[in-house]
Amino acid sequence: MTETVKIELNYGFDGTFQCEIPSERLIHYHQSPVGIDDVASRMQQVLNSPLELPPLDLAVVPGDKITIPVDYQAPGAAEIINAVWDYFNECGIEAGDVTILQTRSESSDLQEKLKAAVTSELQEHASWVIHDPESREEVSYLGTSAGGERIYLSRHLLEADFILPIEKVGFDPLLGYAGGGSSIYPGFSSQEAIVKSRGQSHRELTPAESRPLRQLIDEIGWMLGLQYSLQVIPAGGQAVAEIVFGSLESTFRKAKQFLDQYWRLEPEYKSEMVIIAVEDGPTGHQWNQLASVLETARNLVTQDGRVVLLTQIEAEPGIGLQILSRCHEPLDAIKPLRDAQPGDLLTATQLALTGDWALICLLSKVSSDEVEDLFAIPLEDEAEVERLLQSDETVSVIASAQYAYGQLKQA
């Protein structure tokens, strides 16, 4: 009898797909790492032993104005903030001296959800600020970069005595690795800086290779004087795999090692079909989750192969996807997207590039007509996915693919 591998994938908000694939057809099966059971206990451990810096209680004194920039995409953010506050409280810091700083988000209720999940002292007495990049009163001049660019940041960062970023570390088509200060800039800068930073990724580069925007972010961290940092590595869904605390440089370096260990996959061969599951995350379940997913799919599927996306996305397509939907061929969208620089530039670009390379099959809650306009084949239910697997095609499977990066193993 042919041996089979049991596959179980969580996708969307509550979807679960199960199947068995003959082992001879399965090129690669990447599963999510196990999440931390007790985030609060882990936080106690890391806060008491920062990497390459003295204990945190030596860095703050009562009366300090503390700003905590929070990355919306960081899993476990509320538990992490509560643990940080417990530590600061023991140091004599008052909640009224704490500012929780967040960027605007596609989901208007994210701040309220976070606020409702933290301790009542922070809810009632801390300042909760959503950065407005279009307000001249909100941004102030930091300095000029080595490349001659004038850098502006939120005044809540520039006026703080102590800054502690909480960031998700992840693969990013534009930056290579997100984290290590990338939540600070351009998110807490001006609208002009945000738009200027958008790009269509560096397809020729691996995540570890140098990129201009990544270099600028590193420089801005130094200009701002960032010292301590909390870097969070995701597990599946909204769980936390690892938390790293200490100096900005050392935590980012360590976090990237964890990310590669848990989420980087390098099969030896491309497969004729790639099954990709995308889960609801800390920021919800949005089209923008698909940017890095599609880059990985394109790297791992054969030309004219199939990319099968398991999602429950029901959000309206953004401006970039609307531009793509009006084109006759996928690659016709590349230049209009570059000219328009929409907020979903990366997702629309990756969808165009992948749609030109392979057949995209999308299980979602979006109408079939809208899916077809995006050069994808709509799937109505899991039974259609099972029928696709009845072929003799080779298959790779990626769980929680919104966090993964895949490329062929280098010789």
Side-chain angles (χ1 to χ4, degrees):
M1 294 179 64
T2 302
E3 291 187 4
T4 61
V5 178
K6 292 183 178 180
I7 305 293
E8 182 169 338
L9 299 171
N10 296 323
Y11 69 92
F13 302 100
D14 57 7
T16 301
F17 177 72
Q18 297 177 325
C19 67
E20 293 190 21
I21 299 176
S23 56
E24 64 206 25
R25 288 173 51 205
L26 189 63
I27 300 292
H28 193 88
Y29 178 21
H30 187 271
Q31 297 170 284
S32 307
V34 176
I36 296 172
D37 288 331
D38 191 339
V39 171
S41 294
R42 181 63 61 87
M43 281 296 299
Q44 278 189 323
Q45 294 171 10
V46 300
L47 288 173
N48 287 324
S49 54
L51 296 176
E52 297 185 6
L53 280 176
L56 186 56
D57 58 2
L58 299 179
V60 296
V61 296
D64 275 352
K65 301 297 182 184
I66 295 175
T67 294
I68 304 176
V70 182
D71 182 353
Y72 272 123
Q73 300 183 67
E79 294 169 285
I80 291 170
I81 291 172
N82 281 338
V84 168
W85 166 241
D86 288 342
Y87 194 102
F88 280 149
N89 195 22
E90 291 181 3
C91 296
I93 302 297
E94 296 185 3
D97 289 328
V98 175
T99 296
I100 309 295
L101 183 62
Q102 297 165 279
T103 58
R104 288 179 179 173
S105 170
E106 293 175 356
S107 179
S108 59
D109 63 346
L110 284 180
Q111 187 195 50
E112 291 306 315
K113 284 183 178 179
L114 179 62
K115 190 174 181 178
V118 302
T119 181
S120 59
E121 282 184 282
L122 290 179
Q123 289 182 38
E124 296 168 10
H125 302 294
S127 296
W128 290 79
V129 177
I130 294 181
H131 176 64
D132 182 0
E134 297 177 346
S135 170
R136 292 187 177 183
E137 296 178 355
E138 282 293 309
V139 295
S140 299
Y141 176 64
L142 170 66
T144 301
S145 71
E149 186 170 346
R150 292 174 64 85
I151 304 300
Y152 295 87
L153 288 178
S154 165
R155 64 178 180 83
H156 297 284
L157 294 170
L158 302 187
E159 295 171 3
D161 297 308
F162 185 85
I163 302 169
L164 181 58
I166 298 173
E167 299 184 292
K168 186 203 88 171
V169 178
F171 296 107
D172 185 276
L174 190 61
L175 300 175
Y177 291 97
S182 66
S183 68
I184 299 291
Y185 186 88
F188 293 115
S189 185
S190 64
Q191 184 65 22
E192 179 184 359
I194 291 172
V195 173
K196 186 177 180 180
S197 71
R198 292 171 183 163
Q200 294 181 308
S201 81
H202 301 276
R203 285 183 288 159
E204 73 283 3
L205 301 178
T206 64
E209 292 181 282
S210 180
R211 299 150 191 254
L213 181 56
R214 179 72 255 178
Q215 292 175 326
L216 178 60
I217 289 168
D218 294 342
E219 183 182 356
I220 290 170
W222 175 81
M223 293 168 66
L224 187 59
L226 286 179
Q227 294 181 304
Y228 292 82
S229 172
L230 270 163
Q231 304 286 304
V232 186
I233 297 88
Q238 302 190 41
V240 175
E242 298 285 351
I243 304 169
V244 190
F245 174 66
S247 75
L248 181 64
E249 183 178 348
S250 64
T251 56
F252 192 39
R253 182 172 61 247
K254 183 69 173 178
K256 288 189 291 185
Q257 293 173 357
F258 278 129
L259 189 71
D260 284 341
Q261 175 186 338
Y262 293 138
W263 290 109
R264 188 161 181 162
L265 49 148
E266 295 183 314
E268 293 188 15
Y269 310 102
K270 290 189 175 185
S271 52
E272 294 163 300
M273 183 186 305
V274 180
I275 307 289
I276 289 179
V278 182
E279 289 184 86
D280 173 36
T283 57
H285 194 37
Q286 306 286 339
W287 286 102
N288 279 348
Q289 288 181 299
L290 300 186
S292 58
V293 165
L294 291 164
E295 182 179 42
T296 288
R298 195 178 68 254
N299 288 343
L300 300 185
V301 72
T302 57
Q303 189 167 12
D304 298 326
R306 298 178 195 269
V307 174
V308 181
L309 298 172
L310 306 182
T311 82
Q312 291 179 331
I313 291 174
E314 54 186 344
E316 290 292 323
I319 294 173
L321 293 180
Q322 292 173 31
I323 291 172
L324 175 62
S325 71
R326 294 194 292 267
C327 294
H328 292 292
E329 298 292 338
L331 294 186
D332 293 345
I334 299 299
K335 186 179 184 304
L337 286 169
R338 186 184 300 121
D339 293 342
Q341 295 288 304
D344 59 344
L345 173 64
L346 276 173
T347 295
T349 300
Q350 295 293 346
L351 192 53
L353 293 171
T354 307
D356 179 68
W357 176 259
L359 298 174
I360 300 174
C361 303
L362 176 62
L363 178 63
S364 72
K365 295 187 176 181
V366 179
S367 73
S368 295
D369 288 344
E370 286 182 293
V371 172
E372 290 174 351
D373 286 343
L374 297 173
F375 302 97
I377 299 169
L379 300 176
E380 296 298 326
D381 50 35
E382 293 177 3
E384 292 197 8
V385 180
E386 292 173 0
R387 281 195 288 273
L388 290 175
L389 285 168
Q390 298 307 308
S391 68
D392 59 358
E393 295 173 314
T394 54
V395 183
S396 289
V397 180
I398 309 173
S400 298
Q402 68 273 16
Y403 300 131
Y405 174 79
Q407 64 181 49
L408 289 188
K409 188 174 183 179
Q410 302 300 305

